[in-house]
Amino acid sequence: MLVTGLGATTPLGGDVPSSWAALLSGRSGVTRLDTPWAERLPVRIAGGMYEDPAFRLDRVRRRRLDRSQAAAVVAAGEAWTDAGEPQVEAERLAVVVGTGIGGGLTLLEQDDRLEQRGPRAISPHTVPMLMPNGSAAAVGLLLGARAGTHAPTSACASGAEALAVGTLLIRSGRADVVVAGGTDACLHPLALGAFARMRALSLRNDAPDLASRPFDQERDGFVMSEGAGMVVLERAGFARARGAHVHATLSGAGVTSDAYDVTLPAAEGQVRAIGAALRDAGLTGTDIDHVNAHATGTPLGDVTEAGAVREAVGRHPAVTACKSATGHLLGASGAVEAVFTVLTLVHGLIPPVRNLEKASDGIELDLVSGGPRRAAVRAALSTSFGFGGHNVVLAFTR
């Protein structure tokens, strides 16, 4: 599948160029929360979107879309424009947008209205704003897609799984073009408080830019963020016939499940996902020059993933962890990191792992740090793992 369009809105920037430039420069998108409700939480830092996506929408859409849906629409619009707005029959255009939480902000906000002002205060748009498939529906309506609108929900692997589903739709002959990606936006006291109760979040409230530390020996959890990432995938023959500009090829995808634990990772499932992606792409571990790691900054998760990468691919690929700069965008993370992986292939620049002072024991990888590394990357993996034992690995080639 050819990648012809890229779109994103992240804590680093409101679009792909600004997010990529900030990532390469080593800037952090993590800041201290300045809302009054944050003061009563044990965690008071997060990665909010650099730009409010609602500002790019008309007044009607601003009122009728959840924040996660608005982010998806903005990112999809950018990707569609970047692809040159393909002239494709509606019946040959599909949309796949994954999410981990969906319209959680809407649900919580409307519940507050119900409790404070009664049922007549509830917005009539509540149901389409909170349903998990709402973002996929909004993007499908934006583009007029009629070949299917899908919404995989596989926690933090959702955005990556959306791209995997997109490849299946094109390979099966059901679509010529698929807009695929992920979105999440639920920076709310309940969500932050719940993750904090799990002891999953970093507690570096006094140093937000130092909080997200994948692979570092001083890491203490992930930083919750929000945003969206989208790509346009096209059947090779269709893209070439229209003279499309091609960024890279999504050559393979591996999807596995652990059947082990709801929250704890299992290296065996990750190894199988990497192996499946390599086989699907017709590659071997020695072909991989770069890995864009899931690496959230949790003590157990990073060590587990490092072991899986070593076993499945080896120690030779240059490894980065974009969450060190963006924080963890939950269901959007896999899609945003896929965008960054494609840009690495295009520009021959591997972003650095921010805040990496000393890799902890058990992480024996070639970690990029200090600044971007110039390299001729021919093939790269982007890994995504989610609660529930979801493992998705995408293989991209130049």
Side-chain angles (χ1 to χ4, degrees):
M1 261 34 67
L2 301 184
V3 179
T4 60
L6 303 173
T9 178
T10 76
L12 296 174
D15 55 19
V16 168
S18 59
S19 296
W20 177 244
L23 182 67
L24 292 178
S25 71
R27 187 170 66 79
S28 173
V30 179
T31 60
R32 184 178 175 87
L33 291 167
D34 58 4
T35 53
W37 54 255
E39 293 305 316
R40 58 192 174 95
L41 295 176
V43 175
R44 297 182 291 280
I45 56 175
M49 279 183 274
Y50 189 81
E51 294 181 3
D52 185 345
F55 291 155
R56 299 199 182 193
L57 303 177
D58 58 61
R59 184 173 60 88
V60 173
R61 281 201 178 101
R62 284 199 297 269
R63 292 178 55 246
R64 295 185 177 184
L65 295 178
D66 178 79
R67 185 173 173 87
S68 64
Q69 297 169 0
V73 166
V74 166
E78 182 188 9
W80 192 249
T81 299
D82 183 49
E85 300 183 352
Q87 297 299 303
V88 57
E89 294 179 11
E91 290 75 15
R92 303 294 299 166
L93 171 63
V95 167
V96 190
V97 181
T99 183
I101 298 178
L105 280 182
T106 292
L107 177 63
L108 293 163
E109 290 168 358
Q110 295 302 316
D111 182 65
D112 287 343
R113 286 194 185 191
L114 173 64
E115 295 298 323
Q116 296 167 11
R117 297 158 51 192
R120 293 187 62 84
I122 298 173
S123 167
H125 307 297
T126 296
V127 171
M129 289 173 70
L130 67 82
M131 60 191 191
N133 64 315
S135 292
V139 173
L141 287 168
L142 173 73
L143 302 177
R146 294 185 178 180
T149 302
H150 306 270
T153 303
S154 43
C156 303
S158 300
E161 187 159 356
L163 271 66
V165 172
T167 67
L168 295 177
L169 291 172
I170 293 176
R171 287 177 179 176
S172 67
R174 293 171 57 188
D176 292 320
V177 180
V178 178
V179 178
T183 187
D184 255 327
C186 195
L187 297 182
H188 183 278
L190 178 61
L192 283 160
F195 277 119
R197 284 286 291 163
M198 294 179 68
R199 299 183 180 179
L201 300 182
S202 172
L203 296 172
R204 294 175 183 266
N205 293 318
D206 296 330
D209 62 319
L210 303 179
S212 189
R213 311 178 69 86
F215 298 128
D216 188 74
Q217 65 177 355
E218 299 297 328
R219 67 190 184 281
D220 67 332
F222 72 83
V223 176
M224 188 172 171
S225 298
E226 60 176 4
M230 296 287 165
V231 304
V232 177
L233 302 173
E234 297 191 37
R235 180 171 56 81
F238 181 86
R240 289 168 182 150
R242 73 179 189 88
H245 173 74
V246 178
H247 295 296
T249 301
L250 176 51
S251 298
V255 180
T256 67
S257 54
D258 294 338
Y260 170 67
D261 189 87
V262 173
T263 58
L264 297 177
E268 183 271 341
Q270 296 178 10
V271 169
R272 285 191 294 111
I274 294 172
L278 292 173
R279 289 191 299 274
D280 194 37
L283 301 170
T284 66
T286 57
D287 295 319
I288 302 301
D289 302 309
H290 167 55
V291 176
N292 191 311
H294 179 67
T296 64
T298 59
L300 179 60
D302 289 6
V303 172
T304 301
E305 180 175 8
V309 169
R310 286 199 312 272
E311 180 178 343
V313 181
R315 301 184 184 186
H316 65 278
V319 177
T320 193
C322 297
K323 293 181 183 69
S324 61
T326 64
H328 192 349
L329 281 70
L330 306 182
S333 61
V336 169
E337 287 156 18
V339 169
F340 290 150
T341 304
V342 168
L343 292 172
T344 290
L345 288 163
V346 170
H347 297 290
L349 287 171
I350 302 173
V353 183
R354 200 177 190 281
N355 298 323
L356 182 63
E357 297 180 3
K358 183 180 179 181
S360 66
D361 294 339
I363 298 177
E364 300 168 5
L365 299 172
D366 179 12
L367 301 174
V368 178
S369 63
R373 181 186 298 181
R374 186 165 291 280
V377 179
R378 300 158 300 171
L381 300 178
S382 181
T383 60
S384 297
F385 311 119
F387 283 175
H390 301 276
N391 307 304
V392 181
V393 177
L394 304 174
F396 292 94
T397 53
R398 193 171 58 185

